């Protein structure tokens, strides 16, 4: 299961590098806006990441869910906090979110399993 996290991160990095290498001003600005939106502000980073996670689940974007799960994990959020937020996402998004909830749970387990083997 540890490979799940590494595969996701490797692919994401490879494709982000390709996208940004094209030197498309709009894409670069969107990436920059995304990065800056999740920085500390009136809301702390943990809260913003939970908001991003909930929105990603409701919108059913598995890549976004994985990204926010990993950042939540790095920020020190507990499994209970993350699962409570995903519960809200499932409530708001409805039963169509359940398959994404399953994959999110699997990815969180992979993050926990990686903790002893690599730096996440």
């Amino acid at each position: 299961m540890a490979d799940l996290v590494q595969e996701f991160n490797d692919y994401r990095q490879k494709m982000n590098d390709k996208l940004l290498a094209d030197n498309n001003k709009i894409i670069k600005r969107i990436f920059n806006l995304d990065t800056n939106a999740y920085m500390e502000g009136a809301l702390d980073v943990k809260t913003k990441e939970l908001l991003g996670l909930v929105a990603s689940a409701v919108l059913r974007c598995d890549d976004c869910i994985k990204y926010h799960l990993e950042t939540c994990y790095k920020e020190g959020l507990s499994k209970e906090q993350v699962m409570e937020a995903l519960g809200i996402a499932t409530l708001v998004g409805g039963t169509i979110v359940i398959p994404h909830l399953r994959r999110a749970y699997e990815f969180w387990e992979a993050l926990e399993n990686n903790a002893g083997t690599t730096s996440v």
Side-chain angles (χ1 to χ4, degrees):
M1 204 182 320
D3 291 338
L4 186 64
V5 174
Q6 191 63 50
E7 287 173 18
F8 171 73
N9 285 325
D10 288 348
Y11 177 77
R12 185 175 177 277
Q13 185 64 54
K14 179 180 111 180
M15 295 312 298
N16 282 352
D17 290 346
K18 286 184 178 193
L19 287 167
L20 294 171
D22 268 352
N23 206 25
N24 180 311
K25 188 184 288 187
I26 294 169
I27 297 295
K28 285 186 174 190
R29 286 182 176 173
I30 290 170
F31 272 62
N32 183 275
L33 180 62
D34 182 68
T35 299
N36 285 304
Y38 287 93
M39 291 182 167
E40 189 86 21
L43 296 174
D44 63 17
V45 172
K46 290 179 181 181
T47 300
K48 288 182 176 188
E49 285 302 327
L50 287 172
L51 289 168
L53 176 62
V54 169
S56 297
V58 171
L59 292 169
R60 302 184 308 273
C61 177
D62 283 331
D63 279 7
C64 300
I65 292 168
K66 288 176 182 175
Y67 173 81
H68 289 292
L69 282 172
E70 187 167 4
T71 306
C72 286
Y73 186 84
K74 288 178 180 177
E75 287 295 321
L77 287 157
S78 70
K79 180 178 184 177
E80 292 76 19
Q81 290 170 311
V82 169
M83 294 307 149
E84 189 169 317
L86 286 169
I88 298 297
T90 307
L91 173 67
V92 171
T95 57
I96 197 165
V97 174
I98 291 173
H100 304 277
L101 178 62
R102 289 183 194 118
R103 287 188 289 276
Y105 196 92
E106 176 186 33
F107 197 77
W108 186 265
E109 285 184 333
L111 290 166
E112 290 179 322
N113 290 337
N114 272 358
T117 58
T118 61
S119 62
V120 179

